[in-house]
Amino acid sequence: MDICWLCVILAGIAVYLLTQLIRFIFADADLTLLWADRFGSTPESKLRGKVVWITGASSGIGEELSLQLAALGARLVLSARRENELERVKRICLERSSLKDGDILVLPLDLLDRASHQEKTAAVQKHFGDIDVLINNGGRTQRSLCIEADVDVYQALMELNYLGTVSITKQVLPHMIRRGSGIIATVSSVAGFVGVPLATGYAASKHAVQGFFNSLRTELADSPNITISTICPGPVVSSIVQNAITEELGKPVATAGDQTHKMSTERCVHLTLVGLANHVKEMWIAEQPFLLFCYLWQYTPTLAWYTTKLLGRKRVQNFKAGLDADAAYFSKPKVKTT
């Protein structure tokens, strides 16, 4: 009888482990975030009526954040450099929601112009009174080999992705501390804690972002109702590759390649809003094999370095062949002929 019960227990454990393995194979986010998506609070219940300031709102993830938040009934501040694109996003938000014109503030913003950030923050407060959520989404990525990149490229990436984000955060944070609540969410990247070839400067800036917000979170121990959340997407369909900085400032990407193999922007943003609604401190949002890569880096760094070498070589090969750097990792790229 004891042996039979032992067999039943072992079989149950095996079934459970197999089920979790299958779930992980098809997962597109870390298990904490997926749990929140299934059993946690809904974005609509937590974000409706909130004032949300989004930087980089004119395209890509920032635009989709604006659209989904508008549909939830959040009041929005849309910021980026291109005012005409912000107005376009605002029009779509109004068409797809019950928001009124005054519920969406278009606020042109240059993250590099740090001297203007205090004035911009004051404009938001004047219009809405409160800032419930700040989403630091503005920034650019990189597509160039280190040996070919100018040092100016590295300076530009740090100024924009890191210092620009820190500057806006420092303007909004005192307001949230006085109120005793708020969310500061920052779109980092898997490259914020993983080594990524062709993006040495970008990865460095995102590592800096991760270090800053991880440290800030601990400083706010006496403000438990202020959530510091970092969002770490893997490859996502957006315009980020087309706008990447190359080996020289001002030199455009020769070809962005096919982006359709990447996670949809809609899914990435949905999971992001789930994470914000449930106060998730760090979100990994990526399809396989990138999600597996995140877990390797977190828990088995020695194996992660070995995997990095294999996938990194493939990434560089794709880039040199004129493909998207994150195109299929398990097929041989054709050599670029032009």
Side-chain angles (χ1 to χ4, degrees):
M1 178 66 72
D2 290 341
I3 295 177
C4 291
W5 274 111
L6 179 61
C7 291
V8 171
I9 292 171
L10 290 177
I13 293 173
V15 170
Y16 173 80
L17 292 176
L18 179 61
T19 301
Q20 297 308 313
L21 176 60
I22 293 173
R23 286 183 62 202
F24 184 73
I25 290 172
F26 293 99
D28 58 2
D30 66 83
L31 300 182
T32 300
L33 184 53
L34 291 179
W35 179 271
D37 188 29
R38 185 166 184 178
F39 300 108
S41 300
T42 63
E44 184 175 12
S45 67
K46 296 297 183 178
L47 299 174
R48 175 178 292 276
K50 300 296 186 182
V51 175
V52 184
W53 187 2
I54 307 167
T55 68
S58 61
S59 63
I61 290 176
E63 178 178 350
E64 184 61 29
L65 279 165
S66 305
L67 299 180
Q68 291 196 27
L69 282 164
L72 295 176
R75 295 174 290 168
L76 303 175
V77 182
L78 308 180
S79 287
R81 290 180 301 166
R82 300 176 295 171
E83 185 172 3
N84 60 327
E85 287 299 304
L86 293 175
E87 292 288 355
R88 177 187 62 81
V89 174
K90 177 178 179 176
R91 287 194 299 271
I92 299 174
C93 287
L94 292 174
E95 290 170 359
R96 298 185 183 181
S97 72
S98 59
L99 296 178
K100 307 302 181 183
D101 186 78
D103 293 326
I104 303 178
L105 173 64
V106 168
L107 186 70
L109 172 76
D110 186 347
L111 286 174
L112 294 175
D113 184 10
R114 296 197 295 274
S116 70
H117 294 173
Q118 182 176 4
E119 176 187 352
K120 298 293 184 178
T121 304
V124 177
Q125 291 175 301
K126 182 179 179 181
H127 188 87
F128 285 116
D130 293 328
I131 302 172
D132 298 300
V133 183
L134 169 65
I135 302 181
N136 291 307
N137 174 68
R140 295 178 69 183
T141 189
Q142 177 189 12
R143 285 294 185 273
S144 57
L145 293 166
C146 172
I147 198 160
E148 297 174 352
D150 295 340
V151 173
D152 290 346
V153 167
Y154 292 88
Q155 180 176 348
L157 287 163
M158 291 299 291
E159 290 275 353
L160 178 62
N161 295 349
Y162 174 60
L163 289 176
T165 295
V166 169
S167 178
I168 290 291
T169 297
K170 280 180 61 62
Q171 293 299 326
V172 174
L173 182 60
H175 166 71
M176 291 186 174
I177 291 176
R178 285 192 296 271
R179 290 179 57 206
S181 65
I183 298 174
I184 296 178
T186 302
V187 179
S188 178
S189 169
V190 168
F193 58 95
V194 169
V196 179
L198 302 174
T200 48
Y202 175 74
S205 70
K206 292 301 186 179
H207 273 67
V209 164
Q210 297 276 115
F212 174 81
F213 284 105
N214 285 342
S215 301
L216 176 60
R217 190 182 293 115
T218 63
E219 287 188 10
L220 296 174
D222 292 332
S223 300
N225 293 322
I226 296 178
T227 299
I228 303 295
S229 183
T230 49
I231 304 147
C232 302
V236 174
V237 176
S238 75
S239 57
I240 191 170
V241 177
Q242 290 89 329
N243 297 327
I245 297 177
T246 60
E247 66 273 14
E248 298 176 15
L249 292 178
K251 181 179 178 181
V253 174
T255 175
D258 181 26
Q259 303 288 306
T260 57
H261 58 280
K262 299 181 178 181
M263 175 185 279
S264 72
T265 316
E266 294 81 4
R267 175 62 175 171
C268 176
V269 168
H270 167 74
L271 290 170
T272 295
L273 297 182
V274 167
L276 297 186
N278 290 277
H279 302 281
V280 177
K281 294 179 176 64
E282 182 170 294
M283 312 174 207
W284 300 348
I285 302 174
E287 295 176 335
Q288 302 292 10
F290 306 101
L291 182 63
L292 172 61
F293 205 37
C294 294
Y295 277 92
L296 292 179
W297 270 85
Q298 185 78 3
Y299 299 110
T300 58
T302 299
L303 180 58
W305 278 115
Y306 175 76
T307 310
T308 301
K309 181 179 178 181
L310 297 178
L311 296 184
R313 181 182 289 120
K314 178 66 174 180
R315 199 167 198 265
V316 173
Q317 288 174 349
N318 287 340
F319 175 73
K320 290 182 175 179
L323 303 174
D324 178 77
D326 296 313
Y329 281 85
F330 307 106
S331 61
K332 185 175 181 180
K334 297 179 181 178
V335 178
K336 183 167 55 178
T337 57
T338 57

